[in-house]
Amino acid sequence: MKRSQRDLHQYDIAVIGAGHNGLVCAAMLAKSGKRVVLLEARQKIGGLCVTEEIAEDVQGSVCAHLVHGLNKRVVSDLRLSKHGITFADGFQSTIALNEDGQHLTLTRDVAETKNNIASFSTSDANNYLKFDERLSAFARVLSVLADEPMPSIVHAAKGDERQWHKARQALAKLPADQSADFLHALSSSLADFLDDYFETDLLKGALAHDAVMGNALGPRSPGSTLGLLYRRTTELLGDPHYFGHPIGGIGAISDALGKAALEAGADIRLGADVTGLNVIDGSVVGVTLEDGQTISARAVVSSLDPRKTFLSLLPAGTADLRFLRKMRHWRCEGAAAKVNFALDAIPEFVGLSEEEVTRSRLLICPSTDYLEFAFNHTKYEEFSDYPALEIVIPTALDPTLAEPDQHVMSILVHYCPLHVKEGWNKVRDRFVERIIRVLTTFAPDIADVITAGQVLTPADIAQDFGLTGGHWHHGDLSLDQSFFFRPDAAAMHYETPVPGLYVCGAGSHPGGSLTGTPGHNAAQVILTREKERA
Amino acid sequence: MNTRPSPSMSPTPFHLRTARLCLSNAWVGQNGWTKVDFYTDVLEEYWALRNGAGIHDLTGLLHYRIVGADASSFLDYLTTVNVGMMPERTARHVLWCDDQGHVVGDGILYRLKPDEFRLFTQQSSYLWFADASVGFATVVEDVSRNFGGLAIQGPDARNVLQAVGLTDVAAMAPMEVVETTIQNVPVLVGRVSSGAELGYELFVDANDAPFLWDELAHHRILLTSPVGVSAFHTAMVEAGHPRLGFDFLSSETTIRGRRSVTPMELDMNHRVDFNKPHFIGRRALEQKWTAPPHQKLCGITYDGPGAFSGCPIRSKGTDVGATTSIVWSPKLARHVGLAWILTSAMSGAEPLELHAHIADELKAEPVSVPVSVGPRRHYRSATFLETPVAVA
């Protein structure tokens, strides 16, 4: 490329959205010498991974609250250890709460978990090893595909054959009987899949909860097992040291990624709300901000959800119709809510020590049926009286968030519809009451210690964070929206049908959760493609 | 308001007139309307169209009204032609394609005003238009039921229209459009003819349809004849116009990918203009543009015992194509029609034969007829392009 040509644009690449994937992508591109600008609509980087005030003088992880699969390559390529992330000494285990006080603790240690399960069912305990091994074996196959851009199905490009070969090899490593199980697992429902291994409701409920997290899928929805495999895949690709609650809240991860991006030379602009993509001769050549300012770039990368990128930012008449139709049908109605309480004491949970309460992830999801019943309501624009809850109280181990006598209870609620019949303003309090009522069953004095609270329904997340439908993962993680179809066969390689426009968000391959994998993969592709275009 | 034709069958706005004349009682359905197949005799109607003036009920064509500030840029995105450069009061044959550059539909586009268009198609593409129009300041409305349309074709067509008071048509060039009145009744006239004759299309409010029919059909001096679907179709095949749904399929309806066709395969490269902003299928067409098309929709003629539609065409015993519409051409005294033929078989080096079977009591008698392949247009009358110099 000639110098004069290059100088026509202010930047080589403009990245829209400073969520973790946008940050990773911008940092990787800047590291490779590109002149990068990262545009964030909010006044803070991080997207859904932010630590903000949840009540007066109390900080908390507003949306996402735990790390369990930050990609190893992101950690090493961006040298995150240098930017000062430390993790709280805890949150390595999950306690599935039982109404009778006989709880089940699941840890990262399989043998220990097996022993814990044994007090419920010996056959489940025995099967747990097999289950865990299979899950890991299946995840190893998927991780080959997830850790790189997807190989093409039809038009084999350079490198595709190598990647297909790797995937075939991984599949071939599965014992003969397991390869059929693997394909079956990809499309089966969680309830059926878990029933094949276990009889203990509490165990199945806990495993099912983690698999549907953030998705508008119930444990009886066909294909919901993919969520279980996906979670294990992200853990496999994730750095095992980056696990649990980072000191300073989840925003600490974003801050470190931001430092890495700045250090690599990227410009980060806050309050830069992109309202449109600028197109000349069919190619995207920059963006327009809400204040009318334009920023020109040789290429634009969007880390926003596919609907926002293609249906709202891209001007009409720029992309072909079949592709746009698919984007209009992209399912991204959020189904999870986040509720953050400020507490003036650690609540007592029946059958748990204070140490267990403050060092573990607590789950209220006693069975797959409980979860499915909670899901039923979302289909009819209602919320359930008995939601499933994932609870973290990080403040005992993280003094940076609040004063010593103040605590944060961070709760992920399943399910919560995007719209409710009555309108959220009318029923928001009732929604919180239901959650408190469920909590009271396990922690009778909870109502006495809550001093303030914050509720984020999918509608709030959509509004506050600019996510269509307020979906945690920018779109349901189901087979028809994964791999070749995330977000569509025409955009699965992060390249879109519109020249100069790329995607790198959770709505692209391999998907959501705090992994940084889409952003990292996208940067690889963009560097190669931009070299070809130059 | 966007309305779509109801799926049930209904009479056309001209029904009270056409039914009285339809002595054959032969009716066919088109897009939910019942139309006269032939009134008394196909040949008689055909010759009326070629030698005098034939009147054909156009109901069954779908009629879309496209208005709004972005109507022109919407149509530039939708279709492969350069709509922006289209002058007011003209008509054009347009195509619209999908992402792969396969044809979804075709039709005749009238530009009435800078921001008002009408589009006439053989098959409904309403959902395609509605989906494509998202984001454009334009409204696409199916007004098929609000209008009555008649085609008048034949060497006397202009005289008839002038005799009923449409003096504006005298100077109309082919593909020109005029909004005028007959006895204060508004009428939209386009010099558009599918039968390769001097011809016009006239559209009036559905309530004025009987009036329009009476004016054209019962003129006291000039003789006009009603023409049914069969004779009208014969003229269309002679003119070489492929029909959507018969000679080629919309890529929205094909099941096997090979049945979808590109504009190049339809030999309609001149309907694709890259010198305009992005349109649906542009990138795919740019890629496919230079490669020779796999097959082409050609014109074929032969002398033989029957009109063999849907029959294989062979070269040295191998199938290299198939016929679509074949008619007996009274004018040319041969069978003429259209056929899909592999481009590799079109060098002319090897003779092509049409294979068919003729029923012979209990067995079918195979026949093979040599065919000649050429341009689709088999016939065009001398008056088709003729425009008298306007009298000042």
Side-chain angles (χ1 to χ4, degrees), chain A residues 30-291:
Chain A
K31 221 179 128 233
S32 302
K34 296 282 173 195
R35 295 173 304 155
V36 177
V37 63
L38 178 58
L39 303 163
E40 170 55 47
R42 301 182 81 230
Q43 291 300 334
K44 194 166 193 172
I45 60 166
L48 291 187
C49 295
V50 281
T51 307
E52 279 175 11
E53 203 163 68
I54 61 151
E56 211 186 325
D57 294 331
V58 180
Q59 303 275 319
S61 304
V62 177
C63 292
H65 60 186
L66 288 174
V67 183
H68 57 77
L70 187 61
N71 197 300
K72 283 173 213 157
R73 292 181 303 144
V74 171
V75 173
S76 63
D77 288 355
L78 298 178
R79 298 165 72 192
L80 284 194
S81 55
K82 213 176 78 169
H83 298 294
I85 306 176
T86 49
F87 276 80
D89 181 23
F91 303 105
Q92 305 289 309
S93 56
T94 298
I95 303 178
L97 302 183
N98 208 351
E99 240 179 282
D100 63 9
Q102 211 204 343
H103 309 309
L104 169 62
T105 305
L106 303 164
T107 72
R108 294 172 79 190
D109 184 306
V110 182
E112 193 184 332
T113 305
K114 183 194 164 183
N115 286 339
N116 295 341
I117 296 172
S119 56
F120 289 83
S121 156
T122 355
S123 91
D124 282 7
N126 292 334
N127 279 348
Y128 188 74
L129 293 182
K130 184 169 124 190
F131 171 82
D132 184 78
E133 195 185 288
R134 288 221 169 161
L135 209 54
S136 293
F138 295 169
R140 272 193 293 276
V141 181
L142 293 183
S143 66
V144 173
L145 297 173
D147 208 23
E148 285 184 61
M150 279 301 284
S152 307
I153 331 174
V154 191
H155 310 288
K158 242 192 335 194
D160 282 354
E161 202 31 61
R162 177 193 56 81
Q163 215 182 331
W164 276 125
H165 181 67
K166 268 171 76 181
R168 273 197 298 273
Q169 271 186 326
L171 199 58
K173 272 188 197 152
L174 290 177
D177 60 323
Q178 281 186 32
S179 49
D181 285 354
F182 168 66
L183 295 174
H184 183 247
L186 282 178
S187 57
S188 77
S189 85
L190 269 167
D192 291 339
F193 185 73
L194 294 172
D195 282 348
D196 281 349
Y197 294 90
F198 306 118
E199 58 184 12
T200 308
D201 283 340
L202 191 59
L203 172 63
K204 288 189 280 187
L207 293 169
H209 172 274
D210 289 357
V212 299
M213 191 190 273
N215 288 308
L217 294 167
R220 292 203 178 274
S221 304
S224 46
T225 305
L226 183 69
L228 194 66
L229 303 182
Y230 180 73
R231 191 179 169 106
R232 182 57 69 95
T233 305
T234 61
E235 284 170 6
L236 211 62
L237 295 174
D239 189 316
H241 306 295
Y242 285 66
F243 197 96
H245 170 85
I247 297 295
I250 206 85
I253 303 281
S254 306
D255 290 345
L257 290 171
K259 279 183 206 159
L262 286 175
E263 197 183 85
D267 285 352
I268 299 181
R269 291 206 203 171
L270 299 175
D273 189 1
V274 175
T275 52
L277 295 166
N278 301 341
V279 177
I280 294 180
D281 288 340
S283 296
V284 172
V285 293
V287 300
T288 301
L289 304 183
E290 200 192 10
D291 59 10

Side-chain angles (χ1 to χ4, degrees), chain B residues 209-339:
Chain B
F211 163 80
L212 181 65
W213 181 277
D214 291 343
E215 284 298 302
L216 299 189
H218 304 307
H219 196 268
R220 277 165 301 171
I221 302 159
L222 292 157
L223 191 66
T224 57
S225 303
V227 174
V229 170
S230 280
F232 194 73
H233 176 215
T234 301
M236 210 169 148
V237 175
E238 288 176 333
H241 292 304
R243 285 186 308 161
L244 178 62
F246 293 89
D247 302 306
F248 67 102
L249 299 177
S250 163
S251 80
E252 282 282 88
T253 61
T254 53
I255 296 167
R256 280 168 293 158
R258 285 282 292 278
R259 298 298 297 274
S260 300
V261 298
T262 63
M264 292 80 90
E265 288 174 322
L266 284 175
D267 217 349
M268 292 187 185
N269 301 40
H270 55 295
R271 303 266 181 254
V272 182
D273 189 345
F274 292 118
N275 197 19
K276 66 164 189 166
H278 181 74
F279 56 89
I280 305 169
R282 180 192 185 114
R283 287 177 198 109
L285 287 172
E286 277 171 342
Q287 277 173 10
K288 292 176 183 172
W289 193 247
T290 45
H294 178 69
Q295 52 176 358
K296 267 192 177 180
L297 186 60
C298 311
I300 64 161
T301 57
Y302 63 89
D303 298 302
F308 300 121
S309 298
C311 290
I313 289 174
R314 292 186 181 148
S315 165
K316 289 196 294 186
T318 322
D319 283 3
V320 294
T323 59
T324 57
S325 301
I326 303 287
V327 296
W328 166 256
S329 163
K331 188 83 193 174
L332 305 171
R334 313 185 69 181
H335 282 106
V336 303
L338 308 175

Side-chain angles (χ1 to χ4, degrees), chain B residues 364-387:
Chain B
E365 190 69 36
V367 288
S368 62
V369 193
V371 294
S372 45
V373 176
R376 281 203 294 263
R377 186 199 302 155
H378 298 291
Y379 174 75
R380 176 183 273 182
S381 92
T383 50
F384 178 76
L385 290 172
E386 198 182 80
T387 309

Side-chain angles (χ1 to χ4, degrees), chain A residues 93 95 97 101 103 105 346-362 393 396 442-443:
Chain A
S93 56
I95 303 178
L97 302 183
H103 309 309
T105 305
I346 304 277
E348 266 183 43
F349 278 76
V350 177
L352 290 182
S353 67
E354 185 173 311
E355 200 192 326
E356 283 173 316
V357 170
T358 56
R359 300 174 66 91
S360 315
R361 178 173 78 120
L362 308 179
I393 304 175
F442 301 90

